[in-house]
Amino acid sequence: MFKWLKRLFVLTVGISVICLILAIGAAYLAFSDVPSQEVPSFEFNAMRAVSELKFKFNTEASFLFSSTSSLRNVTLTKDELNAAFMMYTGGSILASLFNVKKEKQYDRLKLNSGSFSNGEFTLSLTQKVPYKIPFGSYLNFTIKAVPEIKDKRLFVEINSLKVGRLKIPALVLNFIIKLEGNEINSLDEIKVLVNAIKELKTEKDGISIGYYPDKLSKFSSSSFIKSLE
C-alpha cells in the first residue's frame, strides 16, 4: 500500500515538474523585454496606391461625415490595403527607424504593423503586461487571418499565430473560435461593427465592403478603435 502511494507521489511530482518546465519554456518564448520593432516591407506598388486610396477615402468621407444611411459598396485592392496600413502605422515605423522609445503607446494593445497578401491579413500587435516577470513585460503577437462578415456575424479563420517566438496551432485556435462564435459576436464592439458593415468579403487580390456610413461613423469613434491608436 505504502509502496503504491510512494509511486503515485513520485509520479505526481514528476508530472508537476514537467508542467512547470513547459510553462517556463512557454513564458520564455512568449514574453519579451522590448515591444516589437518589426518594420514591414512594402512593394513600390503600395506606395503608388496612396493616391488611389486617398481618392476613395475622400469620396467615402463625404458620405461618412454626412451620416448617410444608404448602403455603400467599396472595393480595396491589395496595394491600397497595404498603403492604408503604411499610413496608419507610419508614426510607429518612423519611431522604430530612428530608435525613438515611446513606451507609453504600449500601455494597451498596440497595432505595430499590418499587411495584406494572398487573401490574408498579417497583423503585428504588442501588449504591455501590468507586471514584471524575469522573461520580460511585453507580449508581441503576429497573426495571419482571413475575416468575413455576413448575416450580421463576424467570422475569422486563423492561418497562424505567434506569441513572441511561441507558435500556437491554428487548428486549435479555429476550433476555439468556432465554439465561442456566439460569445464573440455578443461583444458590444462586434455588434456595432457587424451592424455597420453588412458584408465583408476577402479575396486573393483585395476586399469588398458593403457598409452603412452613419453606423460606421459610430464604430470609428468607439473605444476599441481608440485603444489601437
Side-chain angles (χ1 to χ4, degrees), residues 1 13 25 41 43 106 119-120 123 127 150 153 157 174 203 212 219 223 229:
M1 179 66 179
V13 171
S41 59
E43 299 176 4
Y106 295 102
E120 71 174 7
L123 302 178
Q127 174 68 60
K150 63 179 181 180
R153 290 180 64 84
E157 181 179 354
N174 287 319
E203 300 175 351
Y212 299 99
F219 176 75
S223 58
E229 296 176 350

Side-chain angles (χ1 to χ4, degrees), residues 26-134:
Y28 173 76
L29 292 173
F31 285 87
S32 173
D33 288 322
V34 296
S36 175
Q37 298 293 325
E38 178 183 356
V39 179
S41 59
F42 294 99
E43 299 176 4
F44 184 67
N45 287 339
M47 297 290 291
R48 291 187 298 183
V50 170
S51 60
E52 298 172 6
L53 180 66
K54 183 179 179 181
F55 174 78
K56 288 185 178 180
F57 175 79
N58 288 337
T59 300
E60 298 307 315
S62 62
F63 294 96
L64 286 168
F65 295 139
S66 64
S67 297
T68 303
S69 59
S70 300
L71 180 67
R72 294 285 302 168
N73 292 293
V74 181
T75 60
L76 296 174
T77 66
K78 176 191 73 173
D79 294 332
E80 290 168 351
L81 287 168
N82 286 329
F85 278 123
M86 181 181 64
M87 291 188 291
Y88 183 83
T89 60
S92 297
I93 293 174
L94 288 174
S96 64
L97 287 174
F98 291 98
N99 295 319
V100 177
K101 293 184 178 180
K102 299 169 65 179
E103 292 196 6
K104 288 185 177 180
Q105 67 179 342
Y106 295 102
D107 289 344
R108 48 192 177 182
L109 188 63
K110 174 70 178 179
L111 176 62
N112 299 314
S113 64
S115 63
F116 181 88
S117 180
N118 294 321
E120 71 174 7
F121 288 90
T122 300
L123 302 178
S124 172
L125 305 105
T126 292
Q127 174 68 60
K128 185 176 182 181
V129 295
Y131 46 82
K132 185 71 175 179
I133 64 173

Side-chain angles (χ1 to χ4, degrees), residues 184-201:
I184 293 172
N185 280 279
S186 294
L187 296 174
D188 291 338
E189 295 86 352
I190 302 301
K191 285 182 177 180
V192 176
L193 175 64
V194 299
N195 193 42
I197 298 179
K198 181 180 180 180
E199 187 174 51
L200 168 64
K201 286 185 179 180

